[in-house]
Structure formats: C-alpha cells, structure tokens
Amino acid sequence: MKKSIFLMLMLTMTLSVSAQRTLFGGNRQANASDYSAYMQGAVPEKDGKVVFSTTIDAPGKSKAELFKAISSWASLRYMPNSENGYWSNRDYYRNLEYAAVKEADALTGRIVCFGNEEQVFSNKFLSKDYTRMDYNLTIDVADGKVSVKMENIVYTYVLKDDPERIPAEDWITDREAISKKGKLIRSSGKFRIKTVDLKDELFEEIAGAVK
C-alpha cells in the first residue's frame, strides 16, 4: 500500500514538472558562440547613458502611412497586463500594469512608449528568477524613414528580499558586465543578454511593421 502511494506521488510530481516545462518552454541553454552578440560594444552609451538606436529606411512610404502602421503595432505591444510567448524565447514579454503608449502625435510623427514588463531568467520547479524592466521607446516617423531610440532602462530585481532598482548604466555596460578576462559576469550578464535580446526583437518588429 505504502509503495503504491509513493509511486503515485512520484508520478504526480513528474507530471507537474513536465507540465511546467511545456508551459514555460524549458530553459534555453546558450553555446559559447551564442555570447558573441552580447560582448564588447553590444551596449552603446551616449553621454554616459545607455541608448540603443536605429534608423529604418522605408522608401516610397509616406509619414502618415508609416505612423498608422507603427502606432497600431505599439498599441498592441504595450497593452498593459498582457503576455506573449514562452519565457525562454527571445521575444517573450509580460507587460505589467504601467506599460503604455504615452504619446502618439500624427502631426509630429512621434510615438513614445513606456515599457513596464517582466523578463524571466529561469523558471524551475518552485523557483523563478526574474526582473521587472522599465524603459522608454521613442519612435520618430518621417516620409520614407523611421528612427527608434530605447533608453532610460531601469531594472527592479525581485529575487532579493528588498527589491533593488538598478539603472542600466550601473549594471549592463561593458565595464560593469564584462570581466577583465573578457567574459560576461554572471550576475549582471544575464540582464545584459535579456536587454540586448529585447532591443533586437523590438527593432525587428518595428521594421516588420514598416515593411
């Protein structure tokens, strides 16, 4: 009888862990070569501030046409209390309550979004390592061109007993996240990876909306 109960408990735990792996997609394991995109120069600074920026060419498309496409994308991407994908994928996000499109001015062509989202580092049975990430995304639209800037990035690391707000400048820059041996520092490196992945995904999505 005791043996049967034990086997039932083990089966229940196995199914529970299996369900979690299916739900969260499993923990992505990167090969050494995967880290090259996050090394020296991957996090640019301007006047001492972390600023990611890009310009997307859209020949033949008007300002009004581009503004309509990108504002539509932004309203979905920054919908508060919404979630997309699995935590282990690069394009995963879970928007928190303050995520919002703060400005959408068709006359100036400017769209300003406030990112307030959860980024997950690992999600194991009864253990979740994650951070809240806040940032500003500014998109300027003109005839045939879209300029994008991501800045004012701040993390609130929830794993600690007393959650700490850490600006990107103090945590993910080359001097803070890369060791003297040229390797990512474990504590801050995971924040750097998530941030670069998020930046890449946002820029790619905007480029997709443009085209």
Side-chain angles (χ1 to χ4, degrees):
M1 181 67 177
K2 289 183 178 179
K3 185 177 180 180
S4 297
I5 294 172
F6 176 75
L7 288 173
M8 287 179 66
L9 285 171
M10 289 297 294
L11 179 60
T12 301
M13 288 181 66
T14 302
L15 289 172
S16 176
V17 172
S18 177
Q20 275 218 348
R21 285 176 180 165
T22 302
L23 178 62
F24 295 111
N27 192 6
R28 180 178 62 177
Q29 298 294 326
N31 297 318
S33 60
D34 291 336
Y35 291 110
S36 59
Y38 311 107
M39 302 310 293
Q40 199 80 23
V43 177
E45 293 182 73
K46 184 177 181 180
D47 299 326
K49 297 291 184 180
V50 171
V51 180
F52 296 102
S53 60
T54 189
T55 298
I56 303 164
D57 291 324
K61 295 201 173 182
S62 68
K63 176 181 175 180
E65 186 180 4
L66 291 170
F67 183 87
K68 182 179 179 180
I70 296 173
S71 59
S72 178
W73 167 83
S75 65
L76 292 173
R77 176 57 181 80
Y78 292 95
M79 184 182 296
N81 299 311
S82 62
E83 187 171 13
N84 176 74
Y86 296 110
W87 73 267
S88 57
N89 296 336
R90 187 184 69 166
D91 60 351
Y92 168 83
Y93 65 85
R94 185 169 81 86
N95 285 334
L96 304 176
E97 60 181 318
Y98 297 114
V101 177
K102 293 290 188 180
E103 178 184 342
D105 190 329
L107 187 61
T108 63
R110 171 161 286 191
I111 301 168
V112 180
C113 307
F114 179 67
N116 172 231
E117 55 197 73
E118 180 181 281
Q119 292 291 334
V120 183
F121 302 121
S122 66
N123 202 327
K124 302 175 183 177
F125 186 59
L126 300 179
S127 175
K128 182 178 178 181
D129 183 13
Y130 66 103
T131 186
R132 193 186 82 189
M133 183 176 174
D134 300 332
Y135 60 91
N136 287 332
L137 186 76
T138 303
I139 306 167
D140 287 307
V141 178
D143 289 334
K145 184 174 69 174
V146 177
S147 300
V148 189
K149 184 167 59 175
M150 180 181 176
E151 59 187 339
N152 300 328
I153 303 165
V154 180
Y155 312 98
T156 301
Y157 195 28
V158 189
L159 194 63
K160 297 186 176 183
D161 292 334
D162 183 18
E164 181 181 359
R165 283 179 61 82
I166 312 168
E169 290 75 19
D170 295 343
W171 203 234
I172 67 164
T173 58
D174 288 354
R175 62 183 174 276
E176 299 293 343
I178 300 177
S179 70
K180 292 180 179 179
K181 294 182 179 180
K183 296 183 178 181
L184 285 177
I185 297 171
R186 184 175 182 136
S187 58
S188 55
K190 62 185 181 181
F191 288 79
R192 183 177 170 108
I193 289 171
K194 281 291 184 182
T195 306
V196 171
D197 281 351
L198 175 61
K199 175 268 298 183
D200 287 343
E201 192 64 26
L202 290 172
F203 288 5
E204 286 172 14
E205 286 186 13
I206 294 168
V210 164
K211 296 174 182 178

